[in-house]
Amino acid sequence: MQLNLPTLLTLLRIALIPIFVGVFFLSFRGANLLCSALFGLAALTDWLDGYLARRLGQTSAFGAFLDPVADKLMVAAALVLLVQAIPTPLMAVAAVIIIGREFAISSLREWMAQIGKHARMAVSMVGKIKTTAQMIAVLLLLYREPLGFFPTLEVGLGLLVIAAALTLWSMFHYLLAAWPALRPG
């Protein structure tokens, strides 16, 4: 295992998860801002580690494995916390769709790799747009307080619904790409 800068950033993202969860439950003024900042830092390291790995030629099998795991752990932790903080059917359904899709597509990718057809499972543009909408939505929902006239909670929920719809769309895209290997006979 080679510890290069991109891999260290990914490990930092994983290390931030328990800190993020702890801060979420603190009740001092500005805790929501700190929690949002921690999630924002994690999202930034997600982008930065991939950029640096490509730019510096420091890609590795370990990094390629760990990066999506770190992303999924951070997003799942945030969504579980948000369902507790915003206990609405809309929040719960969106969280279940997003987390459930991650399980389904991760399993599908693993299976496709085992049968030698992993290339069909490349990340699509819809997935990238979904991730962007999801990260912004989670940031706004973690903050929750209006910023002047900007309704962060409402916009965050709207973006999360869009992210959940894009999640279903991207899942359909992956299933369609894998269909020739999935269909019987």
Side-chain angles (χ1 to χ4, degrees), residues 1 37 72 80 88 133 157:
M1 171 175 69
K72 288 166 184 41
V80 167
T88 64
L157 282 171

Side-chain angles (χ1 to χ4, degrees), residues 68-91:
V69 170
D71 300 345
K72 288 166 184 41
L73 287 173
M74 188 65 162
V75 169
L79 289 172
V80 167
L81 294 172
L82 286 168
V83 167
Q84 182 267 333
I86 308 166
T88 64
L90 183 63
M91 186 71 223

Side-chain angles (χ1 to χ4, degrees), residues 6-155:
T7 302
L8 287 172
L9 287 171
T10 301
L11 290 169
L12 170 65
R13 192 160 62 255
I14 292 171
L16 284 174
I17 295 170
I19 297 166
F20 165 75
V21 171
V23 168
F24 183 86
F25 288 105
L26 295 177
S27 60
F28 66 89
R29 184 180 169 104
N32 62 331
L33 178 60
L34 179 56
C35 193
S36 299
L38 287 170
F39 187 85
L41 176 63
L44 180 63
T45 65
D46 178 27
W47 172 81
L48 189 59
D49 66 14
Y51 172 78
L52 289 174
R54 289 184 299 278
R55 176 94 173 162
L56 302 174
Q58 294 182 343
T59 58
S60 68
F62 181 64
F65 156 74
L66 195 60
D67 181 64
V69 170
D71 300 345
K72 288 166 184 41
L73 287 173
M74 188 65 162
V75 169
L79 289 172
V80 167
L81 294 172
L82 286 168
V83 167
Q84 182 267 333
I86 308 166
T88 64
L90 183 63
M91 186 71 223
V93 168
V96 167
I97 287 170
I98 292 168
I99 294 170
R101 179 253 188 214
E102 296 305 336
F103 280 115
I105 297 305
S106 292
S107 297
L108 182 62
R109 280 188 176 133
E110 182 180 338
W111 181 73
M112 292 293 284
Q114 286 177 2
I115 65 169
K117 302 195 183 217
H118 185 67
R120 292 180 186 243
M121 300 303 296
V123 176
S124 70
M125 183 54 71
V126 171
K128 291 179 181 188
I129 294 168
K130 180 244 354 159
T131 299
T132 302
Q134 178 179 283
M135 294 302 190
I136 294 169
V138 169
L139 275 169
L140 293 172
L141 291 170
L142 287 168
Y143 188 72
R144 288 191 300 281
E145 294 178 23
L147 290 169
F149 293 109
F150 185 75
T152 59
L153 180 63
E154 292 79 5
V155 173

